[in-house]
Structure formats: structure tokens, C-alpha cells
Amino acid sequence: MTLPRLVVIRTLAFVIALVFSASTSYSLPLTTRKKVDQNTLPSRKLTTSQNQLIDKAIVREKEVVKTVKERAPLVETYIQNMRPDRQLGQVPASDQHFLGRVEFGKIIGAESYAVNKATSQGTNANGKLGFLHPSVAFIAGLGTSLHLNFTEGGFVQMLLVDSNDFDRQHYSFGFVRNEFLGTISTEVFTVKPASGARSRGRFFGYIWVETRGGNIVRFNGTFAGSEKDVREFYDFDSWRTNVQPNLWLPTSFYLEENDQKSVMRTLKFKAINHIWGYVLKVPQKETESTSLDVVGATDVSNEAPDVMPLGAQRAWIQQAEDNVVERLFQAGLLDAPSEFDKTLEALAANILAYNNITLTRPIHCRTLLTEPLESIAVGNTIILSKSLIDTTGIVSQDGTQQLGNLNALLAFQIAHIILGHRLDTTFAFSDSLLFPNISVFNRIPMRHTDADNVAAAKKAIELLSVKELEGGQQYFGLYLQQLQQRVKSLKALNEPVIGDGLVKSDVDQTFWLAAMMDKSPKLDMNDLKQEAAMPLSSFLRRDPWTDQVITMHAAYEPLLSPADKMPFEVEPVHIKLSYDRRTDGPSAQSANGASVPADPLSVSHQ
């Protein structure tokens, strides 16, 4: 049964309306990029209770390091190199994207992340860092792109403060103030290398320590060093999430670098890093390629009806679909089923209903947890990337703009399903997917052919031309106009990881759904009432432990100038922190039937 269109509109409108009701919290800004005197951080001498809290933070940080070393989460970094712009102040000039599953046990404590470029497995023949290559090579390549050339800290220190020597022998502390981050009461402290200790490459800045358990929940600053080290050290802001009782793990960090020669103080680059999939433990070599037994299965074969040849063919296709979806979930690329996925499924069902189309199996929807703008249909499961959802999630009073954008994204993949553009059914054989997680991208070709995409685009326009949906095409056409202005500079954002991009190819940078651009108003960056696309991370955030997506309830920020629009851009992190409450609610089911704790922050209608 499909949900009425009004119900779906109200669902999305409710989600967006919540944006206006949440409150903001204030925090210390990132320090400037220039060299800072290590004795100038304002602070006061610690009281007895504050010293006790610092001692707890040191102990808890060692536990965080231990936990991270036992895990092999996914690490994604997206970098935008900036240039000055007379109208907007600054805009992206180019970008880079890195995605890898990192075994931190091989990284933490290492003296250097440097690798021999001639022999590194982390780069391909073109010098580009490959997907999911060995951990050391991945981190080394990422550090090179961020110009993190020092040996002791580097990328990992932006996640763990100091994975080797975070203690009173190597650092001194001072009290700054009390502050709430979301619902979390914290005390803010200065941290700098202790007098007499070797300081180069050590953390220098602020930490936020939650008062209940003594965990560091946020830290920002830079790395200490001499004036000659200035090119190696960047300001960064690192955030954590309470994923289990009294356990806060790294979630995201933001870093930026100012152009010292620019009169407008334009950024040279800004970058965002996300880490998730902490349930992915370091794989055991002897079990990497073994299948999983089904626990609690009941034999009902005598009750099952006979299957006709057409039914057998469809069951075979569904088996391939189920295998691939499960494999992507196990690799940490797909979200655990969420409330937002159900909203997408309701929209997809409406598109079919408005066009009087009946499928033998319902359409399911999942979210790809990565940055590039892409989508794919795996059998009857439609997968949309998180950033595709984020950047199309325009805030409007009635929700029609976001609704129109989502309908367009879904219609493109629904068209593939209707036209029978199927995944390779070889994946119905269980042994086709028995390979280590680190090679998942190299073994599942899921992109549709150009011919299939041309046909699907034509069919999608047809699906959206019914009277109930035709008014929404203008919004996605406006979104594509905005992307057209940035497509040349945001090559990595438009390069799919596994599926279909919006852009046809590197050679032909037109869009599959370009016909919708003629149905939209002209893009005008000076019109503050017109917003065509949002910055990255504007609508959904990841739960780094369960891999569910959570709809954010951000405070509404009015546009005051064209520079405030920032379409497709990286922006600083600011997470509404709260304590873990998932053990209080009922369990949801993961893609493979395993129990996943229900998320209390998911959308409700109370």
C-alpha cells in the first residue's frame, strides 16, 4: 500500500520544520594559521577537582586509543582547494577524495607514515591513491595530500590528540571555562607541551572534557613546533561521539589553511574527515573468505509452493541483489536501515502509484555513506549517497523543493528497475562475494552502461511528468544548474565510488537528467530567496557505531549575502553532542538480521 502524497509531504516538512526549533551552542573558534606563542593561551591554574578531571581524561584517552587500535573503521577525507571570487569571496578550485578502511593497529605508534612512492601499493599507475589499500600506504598518501610531512603525529593525531604520550610528563594543562556542547556539560582546558619536553609535532590547543566520565569529546588547535615547521602544521577541530556507555570515539574533524599572501585572507584549502564503521573489527586472516551460517533458521520446505520458470528467474535476480546489498553493508558502505530510508521508500512507492505501475516486489532504499554524488539500483534496492541527499535537502516552508529533488533522484533509478537494467546475476552464486572487505570496490561493478543511463533518463522524465509530480522538476533542474557552475572544479565529488554519477563522464560533463534544466528558473546567485543546492553534511549525519543515518535538527540560518549559500562546499563540523541512550530502546534489525540498537535521535512525530 502506498502512502498518500500529503502524508509524505508532511513527513518531509516535519523534518525540515524541526530545523527552526533547535538551539545552537557556542564554542571557541579555530585558531589562526600563523605561528602562535605556546605561552599565550589564556588559562587559569587548575583546582583540585579540575586536576582530578584531567587525570580521568588521561586514563580515558588511553582506553580510546586501545579501542581504536582493535578496530578497522572506514576513513573518508574530502579536500577542497579554494580560490578567491569577487562575488562569493571564495569558491572551490579543485578537490580530492580519499576513502579507505584503516587497521589503526598498524598505524598507531608508528614512527613514520612515509612510504616509498616507487613501491607503494597505495597508488596506481597514474599516481592516484586507490580505494581501500593497505592502511599505512593509505594514511601516507592522505598525509602527503594534506602536506602532513612530520613523522610523530600526522593524521592520527587529529583523531587521538597524542596516541603515544598524552600524559602529564609531556603536556601541561590550564583551565579556560565551563561550556555545554549540545546537552553535554564540559570543562575546557588548554593543552601545550610541558616545559622541557620535546615539543615538535605535539598537540597545542584546547580540549573539551565531559564532566560525567572525564572523556575528551572535542579538541582543536594545531601542532607545536618552530617557525620553520609552519608549513607542516594546520589548525584542526576534532569531534567525538558517545557510541557506547562511557566510550567516546573519533567521528569527524575539520581543518583549513589560510593563504597568507591573500588580501582577503582566502583559504588555500579546507578539508573534512569522517570516520565510521567501528563495528568492523580487524579481520582474521583465516576467516576473511568464509561464509556466515544462518542462526535460528527453520525448515519449511514442505510448505513452500512450486516455482514457475519466470518466478525462478526473478528469485535468482533477488538472490544476487540480496548478496550485494548485504556485502556492501558488511563492508561499512551502506547504512543500517533507518527511518529516513523508509521515507524514501514511501516516495518511491508514490512515483509508481501515480504512474499506475505495479512491481512484483516493493522498492527498498538505503543510503551510501560516502561523499561523492551518486546513486544506483541493485535489483529493487535504490541506493542514494549521503551527500546527494544532503546537497538536495533545501530548507523551505512547505518542503516541496526537497521533495521535488528526491523524486528526481529516485525516478532515475526507478526507471532502471522498470526497464530491467539488472545487476550481473553471477552474484547470486555465494562464492562470487567471498572476498576480503578491503577489495569490495574492485569486485562489484555496479555502474550502468551509458546506453542504459540514456534510456533511464528518458523514462525518468516520463515518470515525473504526471500531474502530481511535474511541478517538482523545476527544483532539480535548478540544482543541476548550480552543479554545472562547480562541476569542473569538483571533479572528485562527481566521480562515483560504485554507482551512477549525475555527470556523464570526465569527457562529457553534461548531466543524464539535463532536460530538467530547461524546466527550472534561471540560477541567480544574487537572489537570496533562491537556494539551489546546500553545503555538504547539511541534512544527515552518520552514527559511527551502528552506521545508521540520523536526520539533523539544525537551527535555521538566514542568508545575508550570496557568499552564505556555499553550494557543495565543505564546512566546519559542529555536532550536537549527547550521551548514548540506545540501550534504552528496542533493537532494530541490521541488513543481515543481527540486532542493531534503535537510535533515539531518529525522526519521530511526537
Side-chain angles (χ1 to χ4, degrees):
M1 178 182 295
T2 60
L3 294 179
R5 179 170 180 264
L6 180 60
V7 172
V8 175
I9 291 177
R10 285 177 175 174
T11 299
L12 286 172
F14 177 81
V15 172
I16 296 172
L18 290 176
V19 172
F20 294 87
S21 62
S23 62
T24 59
S25 59
Y26 299 88
S27 59
L28 296 170
L30 283 172
T31 57
T32 59
R33 175 62 183 83
K34 62 185 179 182
K35 180 73 167 57
V36 180
D37 185 342
Q38 296 177 19
N39 296 313
T40 61
L41 289 180
S43 62
R44 298 193 297 274
K45 185 177 180 180
L46 301 181
T47 64
T48 300
S49 62
Q50 290 163 355
N51 270 307
Q52 292 173 346
L53 188 60
I54 288 295
D55 289 338
K56 290 175 69 175
I58 291 172
V59 173
R60 293 305 306 156
E61 189 67 9
K62 294 184 186 302
E63 185 63 30
V64 171
V65 172
K66 179 179 179 293
T67 301
V68 172
K69 288 178 70 172
E70 295 171 348
R71 302 283 166 170
L74 274 88
V75 174
E76 182 179 45
T77 301
Y78 179 59
I79 307 167
Q80 288 184 343
N81 300 302
M82 309 299 289
R83 64 173 177 83
D85 182 85
R86 180 171 298 180
Q87 180 186 23
L88 303 177
Q90 57 191 25
V91 295
S94 63
D95 64 346
Q96 291 177 279
H97 176 247
F98 301 87
L99 176 64
R101 183 178 173 189
V102 177
E103 296 182 39
F104 278 101
K106 296 181 179 181
I107 302 297
I108 295 174
E111 285 299 314
S112 175
Y113 307 138
V115 294
N116 188 326
K117 294 182 179 180
T119 60
S120 171
Q121 299 180 57
T123 54
N124 59 28
N126 297 322
K128 179 181 178 182
L129 191 69
F131 287 124
L132 299 181
H133 279 281
S135 301
V136 175
F138 175 82
I139 294 296
L142 179 57
T144 299
S145 291
L146 292 173
H147 308 292
L148 299 173
N149 300 321
F150 52 89
T151 58
E152 288 81 8
F155 179 85
V156 172
Q157 194 165 341
M158 296 184 187
L159 301 175
L160 297 172
V161 185
D162 188 328
S163 59
N164 297 316
D165 299 314
F166 186 68
D167 53 39
R168 289 187 181 271
Q169 287 71 44
H170 295 88
Y171 289 95
S172 60
F173 304 87
F175 177 73
V176 180
R177 66 178 184 181
N178 298 311
E179 181 178 353
F180 272 90
L181 292 181
T183 62
I184 303 300
S185 172
T186 71
E187 293 188 11
V188 185
F189 298 93
T190 60
V191 180
K192 58 184 179 181
S195 177
R198 183 172 59 86
S199 63
R200 184 178 183 272
R202 296 199 186 280
F203 176 70
F204 171 67
Y206 299 90
I207 60 172
W208 282 252
V209 181
E210 53 92 20
T211 56
R212 179 191 295 183
N215 293 278
I216 297 174
V217 299
R218 178 190 181 188
F219 58 100
N220 78 21
T222 186
F223 300 110
S226 63
E227 190 70 42
K228 68 180 182 180
D229 299 322
V230 69
R231 292 185 179 181
E232 296 182 4
F233 303 138
Y234 298 99
D235 299 307
F236 63 92
D237 191 20
S238 187
W239 292 71
R240 295 176 175 180
T241 300
N242 187 204
V243 298
Q244 294 284 282
N246 205 32
L247 179 62
W248 292 75
L249 293 182
T251 303
S252 300
F253 71 72
Y254 170 81
L255 67 154
E256 63 180 35
E257 163 68 350
N258 284 323
D259 184 354
Q260 301 295 315
K261 298 179 181 180
S262 170
V263 177
M264 300 174 63
R265 306 295 293 174
T266 305
L267 294 178
K268 291 177 64 176
F269 77 84
K270 50 185 178 178
I272 190 74
N273 178 86
H274 300 294
I275 181 169
W276 72 91
Y278 281 109
V279 293
L280 301 173
K281 293 187 176 182
V282 175
Q284 299 296 320
K285 300 301 181 183
E286 64 272 16
T287 60
E288 276 185 340
S289 297
T290 56
S291 60
L292 301 175
D293 293 329
V294 179
V295 179
T298 304
D299 184 2
V300 293
S301 56
N302 291 331
E303 303 173 13
D306 292 326
V307 178
M308 298 293 288
L310 179 58
Q313 174 64 22
R314 288 174 174 168
W316 187 246
I317 292 171
Q318 182 176 352
Q319 182 64 60
E321 169 193 347
D322 292 344
N323 284 355
V324 170
V325 170
E326 177 66 17
R327 192 67 188 85
L328 292 174
F329 175 72
Q330 290 177 354
L333 298 177
L334 284 191
D335 70 324
S338 67
E339 290 299 315
F340 184 74
D341 292 338
K342 293 179 181 178
T343 299
L344 294 179
E345 290 170 2
L347 292 177
N350 280 358
I351 293 173
L352 293 173
Y354 294 144
N355 285 275
N356 296 314
I357 297 173
T358 302
L359 300 179
T360 57
R361 292 189 296 121
I363 288 178
H364 296 288
C365 294
R366 299 289 286 276
T367 303
L368 188 67
L369 298 172
T370 50
E371 291 285 13
L373 308 176
E374 61 181 305
S375 62
I376 193 65
V378 181
N380 276 38
T381 298
I382 295 175
I383 299 171
L384 303 180
S385 70
K386 177 182 176 297
S387 287
L388 199 57
I389 296 169
D390 284 336
T391 55
T392 56
I394 312 297
V395 177
S396 60
Q397 193 167 19
D398 57 3
T400 56
Q401 189 165 354
Q402 183 185 31
L403 183 64
N405 286 333
L406 290 175
N407 281 334
L409 297 174
L410 292 168
F412 184 53
Q413 295 302 333
I414 289 174
H416 279 297
I417 295 172
I418 293 172
L419 296 173
H421 301 157
R422 300 293 184 182
L423 185 73
D424 185 352
T425 54
T426 302
F427 296 118
F429 293 102
S430 58
D431 65 331
S432 297
L433 293 170
L434 298 183
F435 50 84
N437 284 333
I438 60 170
S439 60
V440 64
F441 294 140
N442 300 325
R443 295 287 296 276
I444 306 183
M446 290 192 290
R447 298 168 188 168
H448 292 106
T449 66
D450 288 354
D452 284 350
N453 279 330
V454 169
K458 182 178 179 180
K459 184 65 176 179
I461 299 295
E462 179 185 325
L463 294 173
L464 295 173
S465 295
V466 296
K467 63 179 182 179
E468 294 89 349
L469 301 174
E470 61 181 350
Q473 292 189 50
Q474 60 176 315
Y475 301 119
F476 194 67
L478 189 64
Y479 174 86
L480 292 180
Q481 284 189 60
Q482 183 71 82
L483 184 58
Q484 189 175 51
Q485 288 193 350
R486 301 283 174 96
V487 69
K488 291 183 179 180
S489 59
L490 298 180
K491 181 179 178 181
L493 187 65
N494 285 282
E495 184 174 351
V497 174
I498 60 174
D500 301 321
L502 299 175
V503 179
K504 291 183 178 180
S505 69
D506 291 340
V507 178
D508 183 359
Q509 294 187 327
T510 58
F511 304 112
W512 299 112
L513 295 172
M516 292 189 186
M517 296 169 68
D518 295 332
K519 302 180 181 182
S520 63
K522 184 178 180 180
L523 179 69
D524 184 359
M525 291 297 289
N526 289 317
D527 184 356
L528 300 184
K529 295 182 179 180
Q530 182 193 81
E531 193 162 15
M534 299 292 288
L536 301 176
S537 301
S538 292
F539 188 70
L540 299 175
R541 70 175 179 88
R542 310 167 185 81
D543 183 307
W545 190 265
T546 66
D547 290 352
Q548 283 186 319
V549 292
I550 303 165
T551 304
M552 295 193 300
H553 304 153
Y556 174 70
E557 296 287 347
L559 300 177
L560 302 179
S561 73
D564 289 340
K565 293 186 176 182
M566 301 176 293
F568 307 107
E569 290 188 28
V570 168
E571 298 305 324
V573 178
H574 200 109
I575 301 174
K576 181 182 178 182
L577 299 182
S578 63
Y579 286 110
D580 177 77
R581 295 173 292 165
R582 286 169 297 199
T583 55
D584 298 335
S587 294
Q589 293 296 311
S590 70
N592 60 0
S595 179
V596 173
D599 194 317
L601 300 180
S602 58
V603 180
S604 65
H605 292 269
Q606 297 178 354

